[in-house]
Amino acid sequence: LHDYAGALMRQGDLDRAEPLALEAVDVERSLGGPDGVGTGVTTGQLAEILRRKGALTEAESMYAESLRILRAAFPETHPRVLGMRSGAALTMGQLGRWEAAEPLLLEVHEQATAVEDGGTAARSAAQALVRYYEARGDTVQAAQWREAMN
């Protein structure tokens, strides 16, 4: 369910992805408990789908739940935690709290550059900054961060 919802999300089919992600969260809660890592991961995926759909208040709540769970299991610089922090910051920006979101995204990128994963976490953080600056209409900064992804 999680993987299928993720594939649909990446294809932009958010209306089909959302119920699958909801079901995946329910399954993870029943199998691993409300604080299990699987619950944190699937809740984060649901948050991303909701953010992309524009259901920002719900997305913010799901990101908070996911981060609470994942932070209990992983260090702050773990790629899963970094990804959720980026999504939460993007949601803050979309909710109009741009000034609060930018330093969080920059911090995530700085921390992601130290992760030894072949640069995947840093590229993901740079991609979040591209989305942030594009949403702000700052094409110069967006282009600079797009370059950083290469």
Side-chain angles (χ1 to χ4, degrees), residues 12-19 49 53:
D13 195 347
L14 303 175
D15 290 332
R16 286 181 54 210
E18 184 180 358
I49 291 167
K53 286 185 77 169

Side-chain angles (χ1 to χ4, degrees), residues 14 19-20 22 25 49 51 53 63 94-95 99 119 121 132 135:
L14 303 175
L20 294 171
L22 279 165
V25 169
I49 291 167
R51 185 187 69 76
K53 286 185 77 169
Y63 277 120
Q94 288 176 275
L95 284 165
E99 286 70 29
Y132 169 81

Side-chain angles (χ1 to χ4, degrees), residues 18 23 30 42 48 50 77 83 93-94 98-99 106 109 124 139:
E18 184 180 358
E23 188 175 350
S30 70
T42 55
E48 179 66 12
L50 292 169
T77 56
Q94 288 176 275
W98 296 107
E99 286 70 29
L106 292 169
H109 183 268
S124 293
T139 56

Side-chain angles (χ1 to χ4, degrees), residues 50-70:
L50 292 169
R51 185 187 69 76
R52 291 182 186 199
K53 286 185 77 169
L56 301 176
T57 303
E58 295 88 345
E60 188 171 46
S61 174
M62 292 291 102
Y63 277 120
E65 181 180 347
S66 176
L67 279 167
R68 179 186 61 75
I69 296 166
L70 294 176

Side-chain angles (χ1 to χ4, degrees), residues 91-137:
T91 304
M92 290 174 63
Q94 288 176 275
L95 284 165
R97 299 191 308 267
W98 296 107
E99 286 70 29
E102 184 177 31
L104 295 176
L105 288 166
L106 292 169
E107 177 183 62
V108 166
H109 183 268
E110 182 180 329
Q111 290 174 338
T113 59
V115 174
E116 294 184 24
D117 67 349
T120 301
R123 281 189 299 280
S124 293
Q127 185 177 41
L129 282 156
V130 168
R131 288 193 301 268
Y132 169 81
Y133 287 115
E134 285 175 343
R136 296 284 328 251

